[in-house]
Amino acid sequence: MPTPAPFRTGSVLLRAVTVFVLTLGLVGAGSWIPTQSRDEAATVSAVTRSWSQLGAMLQNVDVVHALFYSAMKVWLDQVGISTLTLRLPSVLACALAAGFVVVLGSLLFHPRAGLLAGLVMAVCPRVTLVATEGRSAAWFTAAAVLLVLLVVLAVRRPSWAWFLPVSLVTAVLGGLHVYAALLLPILVVWLWAPPETAGRRRRVWRLGLPRGRLAPLLGLLVGEVPVVLLAWRARDQQAQVDWIDPPSLESLAKVATETVAPLNGLWAVLAWSMAAAGLVWLARHRRGRRGTTFLLVGWAVFPGLALVTVSALWTPLYSQRYLSFCVGALAVLAGAGLTSVRRRWLTFCLAATLPLASAVTFRDQREVGAWDSWQQIADVIAYRGNPGDPVIDYPLVSAITVSYPGALGTGPVLNAGADRLSRHYLWDDWLPLQAVEPRLRGVQRVWYLSPTADETGRTLEIRRLRQLGFSGEMLERSDAEQTWLFTRTAAETERGDRLIRMPG
């Protein structure tokens, strides 16, 4: 890596804007193609309410997403809901994250390192994935890079003016996802790192901090207060993470790969190798960069280790998808590693391997069924069904009617209970087949949608449908759900109706 160049604000900003535009085009390309995910259906369910209804819902579920839902409601109320408008804020957030990484890498290393770091961020499979989902992951990924950037700037250019932006971004980061607050211990410890000039006295009134670091420290602490209150309020809603399994050897083996490159171990190996080269360069050139290794390695590694530890000792909280806010550290280190290569042609060749390695997963991420198979379900029903066919639907797949009203036709949902607005919850209430058997009287065709994992419940209910005269075939199966069509003749309907249990 060449001798550190002066930080020319105009030049760095131009590079950051260029990477922002490139990333915007890359992650935005085809982002509207995949069918909406179940989590996106939760976003749609939340924002298609009045403000009072949204507040009532947050009393029961998803209070940790209150900030995200509120911002998305304001946005979608203005532009309307479509797959594109739902994901556009995530696309913009990913582009901002890459732009912020350019500035951060330029500050910590060199403008060329910043540029390469931004390009690494742009082609990171985790980043290109979260851009295709209308959830908060892309937002808190960008907020994490911005917070680190603000703290570094506050140290480089001491002023009390940094207190307010640091505290605001800290609150926003934690408000978007409380797990992202795991970045704060790293920043706090880094602020207490030894001063650059040996022997400089630490003032008691500055809490022993080197000069210029009190303002960002107080900003972090003040910004953390609403995050702690939010986490305390959410303690009664821990059922939201009941789906998370305890960490297994398989999941632990993928900590370093799936967090940054889902289903793309090659990209992860290449990126971490480049990051390791950046660490080697840092070990040899510490002057003027004291604490940088701790900052970047801590940012990249500590949150994952903390979640794994808590999951092993207390309750499962670790999920690879929650750690996208750590990707910025890997990008900066990889950018430094690429810049440390002395031969420009070799740097170019190494840098080119990352977009090539990410091409396969990028293509998969832009397929219709990348998130869920709802489009396939709708296509099957549209092809084989009648508009008024009744449906038996269950919670795992019921969200399809939120994201795609009418996708299952105009027929009644036989096992529907209380609607989501009256029960102040994300989804309608869904009843077991036994509770709605009388609604099958006279029905000759019915669609049955069931979670693939619920084999016991599905077996019992299909057995009962066959007892009532229905003959069924499975028309579509994915990793998450099965789609069955059951039919019976008029004579079978008459015989089966005699077997239906009357309520009470």
Side-chain angles (χ1 to χ4, degrees):
M1 181 181 293
T3 303
F7 186 90
R8 296 184 176 89
T9 302
S11 175
V12 170
L13 289 181
L14 178 61
R15 293 171 187 236
V17 171
T18 301
V19 169
F20 169 84
V21 174
L22 290 174
T23 307
L24 190 66
L26 175 64
V27 302
S31 60
W32 60 88
I33 294 176
T35 301
Q36 293 176 27
S37 68
R38 292 177 184 81
D39 284 343
E40 285 180 298
T43 301
V44 175
S45 176
V47 302
T48 50
R49 305 167 188 250
S50 67
W51 286 104
S52 60
Q53 290 171 335
L54 177 59
M57 186 204 81
L58 294 174
Q59 296 297 316
N60 297 323
V61 66
D62 270 2
V63 69
V64 292
H65 297 304
L67 176 61
F68 172 73
Y69 287 155
S70 299
M72 286 296 287
K73 178 170 176 57
V74 172
W75 162 249
L76 293 174
D77 281 350
Q78 298 301 314
V79 300
I81 298 178
S82 68
T83 302
L84 178 60
T85 58
L86 187 63
R87 293 171 178 169
L88 185 56
S90 295
V91 171
L92 291 170
C94 288
L96 283 172
F100 293 150
V101 162
V102 172
V103 182
L104 181 60
S106 300
L107 277 171
L108 294 177
F109 294 100
H110 184 275
R112 186 151 56 93
L115 175 62
L116 290 170
L119 295 176
V120 171
M121 190 77 169
V123 299
C124 174
R126 175 62 67 181
V127 173
T128 58
L129 178 64
V130 298
T132 63
E133 190 178 32
R135 294 296 282 177
S136 63
W139 295 30
F140 62 72
T141 299
V145 182
L146 178 58
L147 179 60
V148 176
L149 175 59
L150 289 176
V151 172
V152 171
L153 284 171
V155 170
R156 297 292 182 90
R157 301 174 182 180
S159 170
W160 277 97
W162 296 109
F163 168 78
L164 183 59
V166 169
S167 58
L168 286 176
V169 175
T170 301
V172 169
L173 175 62
L176 290 172
H177 205 292
V178 292
Y179 287 4
L182 291 170
L183 175 59
L184 268 63
I186 301 301
L187 292 174
V188 170
V189 174
W190 181 74
L191 286 172
W192 255 294
E196 296 298 339
T197 304
R200 181 177 293 176
R201 296 180 60 187
R202 300 186 178 217
R203 305 286 183 179
V204 174
W205 67 271
R206 291 200 302 255
L207 305 179
L209 287 166
R211 181 178 175 274
R213 303 194 178 193
L214 182 59
L217 174 66
L218 293 179
L220 292 172
L221 297 179
V222 171
E224 182 66 4
V225 172
V227 181
V228 172
L229 296 176
L230 177 64
W232 179 259
R233 173 64 185 83
R235 72 191 189 282
D236 296 328
Q237 297 182 3
Q238 289 188 353
Q240 292 176 222
V241 293
D242 282 350
W243 60 270
I244 300 179
D245 296 323
S248 62
L249 291 178
E250 181 181 2
S251 63
L252 293 178
K254 297 179 179 179
V255 168
T257 57
E258 292 296 297
T259 52
V260 299
L263 304 178
N264 195 336
L266 175 60
W267 194 96
V269 170
L270 290 171
W272 282 112
S273 298
M274 295 171 188
L279 289 175
V280 171
W281 187 91
L282 268 175
R284 296 177 177 177
H285 303 81
R286 298 179 182 177
R287 185 174 181 180
R289 296 183 179 86
R290 190 184 299 272
T292 302
T293 299
F294 172 82
L295 173 64
L296 295 177
V297 173
W299 178 10
V301 174
F302 173 74
L305 292 179
L307 287 179
V308 167
T309 302
V310 172
S311 298
L313 299 180
W314 180 43
T315 187
L317 295 176
Y318 169 74
S319 175
Q320 296 153 351
R321 63 187 302 182
Y322 291 156
L323 294 173
S324 62
F325 68 93
C326 300
V327 172
L330 173 64
V332 173
L333 283 171
L338 286 169
T339 311
S340 68
V341 178
R342 294 183 178 181
R343 299 185 183 277
R344 294 284 184 94
W345 65 268
L346 183 56
T347 299
F348 176 81
C349 291
L350 290 173
T353 61
L354 291 176
L356 291 175
S358 68
V360 175
T361 44
F362 183 87
R363 179 196 61 196
D364 294 341
Q365 291 168 2
R366 267 62 183 173
E367 292 182 349
V368 172
W371 285 111
D372 282 298
S373 58
W374 293 351
Q375 188 62 53
Q376 291 94 313
I377 294 174
D379 289 345
V380 168
I381 294 178
Y383 180 71
R384 293 289 301 271
N386 296 321
D389 283 347
V391 177
I392 296 176
D393 193 10
Y394 284 92
L396 184 63
V397 290
S398 64
I400 187 174
T401 57
V402 174
S403 290
Y404 299 100
L408 303 183
T410 58
V413 178
L414 297 183
N415 62 329
D419 69 89
R420 59 192 175 93
L421 298 180
S422 63
R423 66 192 298 253
H424 306 307
Y425 200 69
L426 284 168
W427 318 118
D428 296 340
D429 191 19
W430 303 89
L431 306 173
L433 178 62
Q434 181 181 2
V436 297
E437 271 193 14
R439 299 180 186 178
L440 289 169
R441 286 184 174 276
V443 173
Q444 291 184 256
R445 288 169 56 94
V446 62
W447 290 94
Y448 181 86
L449 308 182
S450 169
T452 298
D454 187 16
E455 183 174 356
T456 301
R458 180 173 59 257
T459 300
L460 292 174
E461 294 194 340
I462 289 178
R463 182 183 304 164
R464 180 57 179 169
L465 286 171
R466 296 192 189 282
Q467 291 173 355
L468 297 177
F470 286 97
S471 297
E473 59 176 324
M474 184 172 61
L475 300 181
E476 190 275 337
R477 176 192 175 98
S478 70
D479 292 338
E481 58 258 334
Q482 295 182 6
T483 303
W484 292 69
L485 174 60
F486 285 91
T487 60
R488 58 182 178 176
T489 65
E492 290 169 337
T493 300
E494 185 177 352
R495 288 193 298 269
D497 286 351
R498 297 193 192 105
L499 301 176
I500 293 178
R501 305 181 183 94
M502 297 301 296

